[in-house]
Amino acid sequence: MYLLHRLRALGMTVQAFEAGTDIGGTWYWNRYPGARFDSESWSYGYSFSQELLQEWDWKEHFSPQPDTLEYLNLVADKFDLRRDIQFSSTVTAAHWDDDTDTWTVTLESGEQARSRFLFTAVGILSAHTLPAIPDRDSFRGPAYHPARWPKTPVDFNGKRVGVIGTGATAIQAIPEIAKQAEHLTVFQRRPNWAAPLHNSKISKEEMAEIKTRYDEIYARCRESPSWFIHRADPRKTSDVPPEEREAFWEKLYAEPGFGIWMGNFRDILVDEKANAAVTEFIAKKIRQRVKDPKVADKLIPKDHGFGTRRVPLESGYFEAYNRDNVLLIDLNETPIDRITPAGVKTSDREHEFDILVYATGFDGVTGAFDRIDIRGPGGVRLKDVWADGPRTYLGWQPEGFPNLLMVLGPHTARGNIPRAAEHGVECLTGLLEFMRARGYARVETRPEEVAAWTETVVKAAAPLLSSKVDSWQTGVNRNVEGRTVRRVLGYNGNGAYYRRKCDEVAAGGFQEFLFR
Ligand code: NAP
């Protein structure tokens, strides 16, 4: 949406294609109960318009999905964005014509459009994946993926519900479904570490005060490694005596947001010993919160340390397992054989349900690209070029695909997504402005710059404990054929370095690119 706004401001003719029937992206699709931010709301909104910042009031510190969608609708209306967005328009192919330096985009309907430049703004978690379980479609009741949740709220009252998956999505949805359902069964393959969100309402007075601090808030995000307001504590875990450490962790655990993950000692995500110490602290918290020690033990991850997968922030997740109507099934003990018309058949019995929820995640980062037949010069397919991992320059442009520009492409520095997206839009429209001023019609990467950036990205990932763990962030999704090998999909070094590098490239006249 911001890209559309900026391109229009440059005087470009823009046509956006959107698969949904309306704007909102993640917040359009993910309408499941409990869906909300885990970035502080006031650090998440667009920063480009002072007027918008002053006009919109966040109602909660971590905005729930309906409020966020309302906010995005306000943005679309205020900047009259819908007139250049074609809805219900899934793009199936994008082919480059080397003779005319143009892209031809094909929609599911067969409709085609040609353009000089093609921007992707497909998100990193938009290609949802259903579980590869035999007879998945045989279930006779409704089955939902949270990223394709119905617009009319699902009524769980008096229903027997099964949830497959225990990632960030399920961790938000489970406490809400548990409150309504007659019975809820959660099928867990690998548990995730999670910490409390501590959401609360924002009063009118507090919102008025936040509005006076937007410059400061966004400046803080710009200086932090992942665009969040949280920054690591400069101390190492071992620098601090055990009692003081414990008190520090207690404080972080009691605070709202990602402090426990991103505001922790600086070595917890790179040093095995430091990570083991904080991991034990979080495990202790789970044992304190879950009454049945056997259930608590199942909920404690054994295969990865705290923070080495993206940490879900929860609101009463662990307490949900203290309810009489909630049952946790450990799929390591009793794996799923298949889905049946009545429910889920595990190795020991059949579980019967009225509703199934497949909270089984996404083909992260490259999945949305893979679903479009993108072909560059000579008919070369992006999917093939990226088979072993993306190759880009700064995540702005894939290698060998002229005039294809990516907002939040692989190998950008991400984190707090709207901040990174806004930055990406500014970088790419800056490149376009530069080209227009010089009459260039074609831009592509220089191979040596792609090689250097790819090496930087791979090197930055090497010391991180998270690089040794399977997750969507390392490109592993066993529901997608061929996605069993870890790949580096983002620049996980310091985001401040990335932003400096982007600034330098622009200031130096984009010499890292080839123009014609
Ligand atoms: P996810 O973290 O990838 O979790 C998917 C879950 O489904 C995992 O527990 C996975 O188990 C399980 N699963 C997948 N296939 C399965 C199968 N065939 N059988 C049994 N279990 C299966 O996906 P997600 O929960 O949708 O979250 C993805 C990301 O979206 C998050 O990390 C976060 O970045 C973002 N998100 C953000 C928010 C927020 O901002 N508040 C909320 C929701 C999501 P394994 O672990 O064993 O593979």
PDB file of all heavy atoms in Angstrom, residues 271-291:
ATOM      1  N   ASP A 271      25.552 -18.038  22.164  1.00  0.00           N
ATOM      2  CA  ASP A 271      26.399 -18.823  23.054  1.00  0.00           C
ATOM      3  C   ASP A 271      25.568 -19.946  23.697  1.00  0.00           C
ATOM      4  O   ASP A 271      24.571 -19.682  24.371  1.00  0.00           O
ATOM      5  CB  ASP A 271      26.972 -17.902  24.143  1.00  0.00           C
ATOM      6  CG  ASP A 271      27.899 -18.641  25.087  1.00  0.00           C
ATOM      7  OD1 ASP A 271      27.401 -19.309  26.017  1.00  0.00           O
ATOM      8  OD2 ASP A 271      29.114 -18.558  24.867  1.00  0.00           O
ATOM      9  N   GLU A 272      26.004 -21.189  23.450  1.00  0.00           N
ATOM     10  CA  GLU A 272      25.222 -22.357  23.912  1.00  0.00           C
ATOM     11  C   GLU A 272      24.973 -22.313  25.426  1.00  0.00           C
ATOM     12  O   GLU A 272      23.863 -22.578  25.882  1.00  0.00           O
ATOM     13  CB  GLU A 272      25.982 -23.671  23.610  1.00  0.00           C
ATOM     14  CG  GLU A 272      26.293 -23.909  22.151  1.00  0.00           C
ATOM     15  CD  GLU A 272      25.227 -24.747  21.444  1.00  0.00           C
ATOM     16  OE1 GLU A 272      24.217 -25.058  22.072  1.00  0.00           O
ATOM     17  OE2 GLU A 272      25.431 -25.050  20.249  1.00  0.00           O
ATOM     18  N   LYS A 273      26.023 -21.937  26.175  1.00  0.00           N
ATOM     19  CA  LYS A 273      25.908 -21.975  27.643  1.00  0.00           C
ATOM     20  C   LYS A 273      24.936 -20.898  28.136  1.00  0.00           C
ATOM     21  O   LYS A 273      24.084 -21.141  28.992  1.00  0.00           O
ATOM     22  CB  LYS A 273      27.295 -21.739  28.257  1.00  0.00           C
ATOM     23  CG  LYS A 273      27.629 -22.750  29.329  1.00  0.00           C
ATOM     24  CD  LYS A 273      29.057 -22.646  29.749  1.00  0.00           C
ATOM     25  CE  LYS A 273      29.078 -22.555  31.279  1.00  0.00           C
ATOM     26  NZ  LYS A 273      30.390 -22.208  31.777  1.00  0.00           N
ATOM     27  N   ALA A 274      25.070 -19.707  27.541  1.00  0.00           N
ATOM     28  CA  ALA A 274      24.184 -18.595  27.931  1.00  0.00           C
ATOM     29  C   ALA A 274      22.742 -18.948  27.550  1.00  0.00           C
ATOM     30  O   ALA A 274      21.805 -18.725  28.319  1.00  0.00           O
ATOM     31  CB  ALA A 274      24.613 -17.315  27.213  1.00  0.00           C
ATOM     32  N   ASN A 275      22.602 -19.545  26.376  1.00  0.00           N
ATOM     33  CA  ASN A 275      21.266 -19.919  25.918  1.00  0.00           C
ATOM     34  C   ASN A 275      20.664 -20.991  26.828  1.00  0.00           C
ATOM     35  O   ASN A 275      19.475 -20.930  27.181  1.00  0.00           O
ATOM     36  CB  ASN A 275      21.326 -20.406  24.460  1.00  0.00           C
ATOM     37  CG  ASN A 275      19.942 -20.685  23.919  1.00  0.00           C
ATOM     38  OD1 ASN A 275      19.496 -21.825  23.931  1.00  0.00           O
ATOM     39  ND2 ASN A 275      19.242 -19.652  23.491  1.00  0.00           N
ATOM     40  N   ALA A 276      21.497 -21.934  27.257  1.00  0.00           N
ATOM     41  CA  ALA A 276      20.998 -23.001  28.142  1.00  0.00           C
ATOM     42  C   ALA A 276      20.487 -22.408  29.453  1.00  0.00           C
ATOM     43  O   ALA A 276      19.487 -22.874  30.010  1.00  0.00           O
ATOM     44  CB  ALA A 276      22.097 -24.017  28.399  1.00  0.00           C
ATOM     45  N   ALA A 277      21.149 -21.369  29.948  1.00  0.00           N
ATOM     46  CA  ALA A 277      20.749 -20.767  31.228  1.00  0.00           C
ATOM     47  C   ALA A 277      19.376 -20.101  31.108  1.00  0.00           C
ATOM     48  O   ALA A 277      18.494 -20.328  31.938  1.00  0.00           O
ATOM     49  CB  ALA A 277      21.805 -19.757  31.684  1.00  0.00           C
ATOM     50  N   VAL A 278      19.180 -19.304  30.058  1.00  0.00           N
ATOM     51  CA  VAL A 278      17.882 -18.624  29.913  1.00  0.00           C
ATOM     52  C   VAL A 278      16.798 -19.649  29.556  1.00  0.00           C
ATOM     53  O   VAL A 278      15.650 -19.545  29.988  1.00  0.00           O
ATOM     54  CB  VAL A 278      17.947 -17.441  28.915  1.00  0.00           C
ATOM     55  CG1 VAL A 278      18.128 -17.893  27.482  1.00  0.00           C
ATOM     56  CG2 VAL A 278      16.698 -16.580  29.036  1.00  0.00           C
ATOM     57  N   THR A 279      17.189 -20.668  28.820  1.00  0.00           N
ATOM     58  CA  THR A 279      16.241 -21.731  28.459  1.00  0.00           C
ATOM     59  C   THR A 279      15.715 -22.403  29.727  1.00  0.00           C
ATOM     60  O   THR A 279      14.515 -22.648  29.861  1.00  0.00           O
ATOM     61  CB  THR A 279      16.946 -22.760  27.533  1.00  0.00           C
ATOM     62  OG1 THR A 279      17.261 -22.094  26.314  1.00  0.00           O
ATOM     63  CG2 THR A 279      16.066 -23.965  27.234  1.00  0.00           C
ATOM     64  N   GLU A 280      16.599 -22.656  30.666  1.00  0.00           N
ATOM     65  CA  GLU A 280      16.177 -23.309  31.914  1.00  0.00           C
ATOM     66  C   GLU A 280      15.221 -22.390  32.689  1.00  0.00           C
ATOM     67  O   GLU A 280      14.248 -22.848  33.292  1.00  0.00           O
ATOM     68  CB  GLU A 280      17.410 -23.690  32.757  1.00  0.00           C
ATOM     69  CG  GLU A 280      17.096 -24.446  34.041  1.00  0.00           C
ATOM     70  CD  GLU A 280      15.969 -25.492  33.937  1.00  0.00           C
ATOM     71  OE1 GLU A 280      15.910 -26.230  32.941  1.00  0.00           O
ATOM     72  OE2 GLU A 280      15.110 -25.558  34.863  1.00  0.00           O
ATOM     73  N   PHE A 281      15.489 -21.077  32.625  1.00  0.00           N
ATOM     74  CA  PHE A 281      14.585 -20.124  33.295  1.00  0.00           C
ATOM     75  C   PHE A 281      13.171 -20.219  32.696  1.00  0.00           C
ATOM     76  O   PHE A 281      12.182 -20.292  33.426  1.00  0.00           O
ATOM     77  CB  PHE A 281      15.126 -18.697  33.150  1.00  0.00           C
ATOM     78  CG  PHE A 281      14.171 -17.655  33.671  1.00  0.00           C
ATOM     79  CD1 PHE A 281      14.115 -17.345  35.017  1.00  0.00           C
ATOM     80  CD2 PHE A 281      13.288 -17.004  32.803  1.00  0.00           C
ATOM     81  CE1 PHE A 281      13.200 -16.404  35.508  1.00  0.00           C
ATOM     82  CE2 PHE A 281      12.372 -16.067  33.274  1.00  0.00           C
ATOM     83  CZ  PHE A 281      12.332 -15.768  34.623  1.00  0.00           C
ATOM     84  N   ILE A 282      13.081 -20.250  31.388  1.00  0.00           N
ATOM     85  CA  ILE A 282      11.760 -20.283  30.735  1.00  0.00           C
ATOM     86  C   ILE A 282      11.079 -21.633  30.998  1.00  0.00           C
ATOM     87  O   ILE A 282       9.864 -21.692  31.221  1.00  0.00           O
ATOM     88  CB  ILE A 282      11.878 -20.014  29.210  1.00  0.00           C
ATOM     89  CG1 ILE A 282      12.630 -18.705  28.934  1.00  0.00           C
ATOM     90  CG2 ILE A 282      10.504 -19.986  28.540  1.00  0.00           C
ATOM     91  CD1 ILE A 282      11.876 -17.423  29.196  1.00  0.00           C
ATOM     92  N   ALA A 283      11.875 -22.699  31.008  1.00  0.00           N
ATOM     93  CA  ALA A 283      11.306 -24.030  31.301  1.00  0.00           C
ATOM     94  C   ALA A 283      10.698 -24.027  32.708  1.00  0.00           C
ATOM     95  O   ALA A 283       9.608 -24.573  32.924  1.00  0.00           O
ATOM     96  CB  ALA A 283      12.389 -25.098  31.186  1.00  0.00           C
ATOM     97  N   LYS A 284      11.391 -23.386  33.628  1.00  0.00           N
ATOM     98  CA  LYS A 284      10.891 -23.307  35.012  1.00  0.00           C
ATOM     99  C   LYS A 284       9.539 -22.578  35.042  1.00  0.00           C
ATOM    100  O   LYS A 284       8.613 -22.980  35.745  1.00  0.00           O
ATOM    101  CB  LYS A 284      11.928 -22.549  35.859  1.00  0.00           C
ATOM    102  CG  LYS A 284      11.616 -22.535  37.339  1.00  0.00           C
ATOM    103  CD  LYS A 284      12.666 -21.767  38.105  1.00  0.00           C
ATOM    104  CE  LYS A 284      12.492 -20.267  37.882  1.00  0.00           C
ATOM    105  NZ  LYS A 284      13.536 -19.444  38.464  1.00  0.00           N
ATOM    106  N   LYS A 285       9.440 -21.541  34.231  1.00  0.00           N
ATOM    107  CA  LYS A 285       8.178 -20.777  34.171  1.00  0.00           C
ATOM    108  C   LYS A 285       7.041 -21.668  33.672  1.00  0.00           C
ATOM    109  O   LYS A 285       5.919 -21.596  34.160  1.00  0.00           O
ATOM    110  CB  LYS A 285       8.333 -19.571  33.229  1.00  0.00           C
ATOM    111  CG  LYS A 285       9.147 -18.463  33.832  1.00  0.00           C
ATOM    112  CD  LYS A 285       8.342 -17.808  34.916  1.00  0.00           C
ATOM    113  CE  LYS A 285       9.149 -16.863  35.743  1.00  0.00           C
ATOM    114  NZ  LYS A 285       8.485 -16.514  37.009  1.00  0.00           N
ATOM    115  N   ILE A 286       7.335 -22.498  32.665  1.00  0.00           N
ATOM    116  CA  ILE A 286       6.291 -23.385  32.131  1.00  0.00           C
ATOM    117  C   ILE A 286       5.869 -24.371  33.229  1.00  0.00           C
ATOM    118  O   ILE A 286       4.682 -24.589  33.459  1.00  0.00           O
ATOM    119  CB  ILE A 286       6.781 -24.120  30.856  1.00  0.00           C
ATOM    120  CG1 ILE A 286       7.088 -23.079  29.759  1.00  0.00           C
ATOM    121  CG2 ILE A 286       5.745 -25.141  30.374  1.00  0.00           C
ATOM    122  CD1 ILE A 286       7.718 -23.644  28.498  1.00  0.00           C
ATOM    123  N   ARG A 287       6.857 -24.899  33.944  1.00  0.00           N
ATOM    124  CA  ARG A 287       6.530 -25.848  35.029  1.00  0.00           C
ATOM    125  C   ARG A 287       5.687 -25.177  36.099  1.00  0.00           C
ATOM    126  O   ARG A 287       4.801 -25.791  36.680  1.00  0.00           O
ATOM    127  CB  ARG A 287       7.814 -26.412  35.645  1.00  0.00           C
ATOM    128  CG  ARG A 287       8.459 -27.458  34.774  1.00  0.00           C
ATOM    129  CD  ARG A 287       9.631 -28.154  35.474  1.00  0.00           C
ATOM    130  NE  ARG A 287      10.627 -28.512  34.496  1.00  0.00           N
ATOM    131  CZ  ARG A 287      11.786 -27.892  34.334  1.00  0.00           C
ATOM    132  NH1 ARG A 287      12.130 -26.883  35.118  1.00  0.00           N
ATOM    133  NH2 ARG A 287      12.617 -28.286  33.399  1.00  0.00           N
ATOM    134  N   GLN A 288       5.952 -23.875  36.337  1.00  0.00           N
ATOM    135  CA  GLN A 288       5.154 -23.159  37.351  1.00  0.00           C
ATOM    136  C   GLN A 288       3.721 -22.929  36.881  1.00  0.00           C
ATOM    137  O   GLN A 288       2.787 -22.929  37.664  1.00  0.00           O
ATOM    138  CB  GLN A 288       5.781 -21.784  37.643  1.00  0.00           C
ATOM    139  CG  GLN A 288       7.000 -21.846  38.536  1.00  0.00           C
ATOM    140  CD  GLN A 288       7.745 -20.509  38.588  1.00  0.00           C
ATOM    141  OE1 GLN A 288       7.364 -19.519  37.955  1.00  0.00           O
ATOM    142  NE2 GLN A 288       8.837 -20.482  39.335  1.00  0.00           N
ATOM    143  N   ARG A 289       3.564 -22.742  35.577  1.00  0.00           N
ATOM    144  CA  ARG A 289       2.251 -22.331  35.074  1.00  0.00           C
ATOM    145  C   ARG A 289       1.349 -23.515  34.722  1.00  0.00           C
ATOM    146  O   ARG A 289       0.126 -23.367  34.685  1.00  0.00           O
ATOM    147  CB  ARG A 289       2.441 -21.404  33.858  1.00  0.00           C
ATOM    148  CG  ARG A 289       3.034 -20.053  34.265  1.00  0.00           C
ATOM    149  CD  ARG A 289       3.374 -19.199  33.054  1.00  0.00           C
ATOM    150  NE  ARG A 289       2.216 -18.917  32.224  1.00  0.00           N
ATOM    151  CZ  ARG A 289       2.276 -18.276  31.063  1.00  0.00           C
ATOM    152  NH1 ARG A 289       3.454 -17.851  30.610  1.00  0.00           N
ATOM    153  NH2 ARG A 289       1.186 -18.050  30.370  1.00  0.00           N
ATOM    154  N   VAL A 290       1.938 -24.646  34.405  1.00  0.00           N
ATOM    155  CA  VAL A 290       1.125 -25.807  34.011  1.00  0.00           C
ATOM    156  C   VAL A 290       1.047 -26.765  35.200  1.00  0.00           C
ATOM    157  O   VAL A 290       2.073 -27.208  35.712  1.00  0.00           O
ATOM    158  CB  VAL A 290       1.749 -26.502  32.767  1.00  0.00           C
ATOM    159  CG1 VAL A 290       0.944 -27.726  32.373  1.00  0.00           C
ATOM    160  CG2 VAL A 290       1.831 -25.518  31.610  1.00  0.00           C
ATOM    161  N   LYS A 291      -0.188 -27.049  35.618  1.00  0.00           N
ATOM    162  CA  LYS A 291      -0.368 -27.808  36.873  1.00  0.00           C
ATOM    163  C   LYS A 291       0.132 -29.247  36.790  1.00  0.00           C
ATOM    164  O   LYS A 291       0.773 -29.737  37.695  1.00  0.00           O
ATOM    165  CB  LYS A 291      -1.852 -27.802  37.255  1.00  0.00           C
ATOM    166  CG  LYS A 291      -2.286 -26.473  37.853  1.00  0.00           C
ATOM    167  CD  LYS A 291      -3.703 -26.580  38.398  1.00  0.00           C
ATOM    168  CE  LYS A 291      -4.237 -25.191  38.721  1.00  0.00           C
ATOM    169  NZ  LYS A 291      -5.659 -25.069  38.390  1.00  0.00           N
TER     170      LYS A 291
END
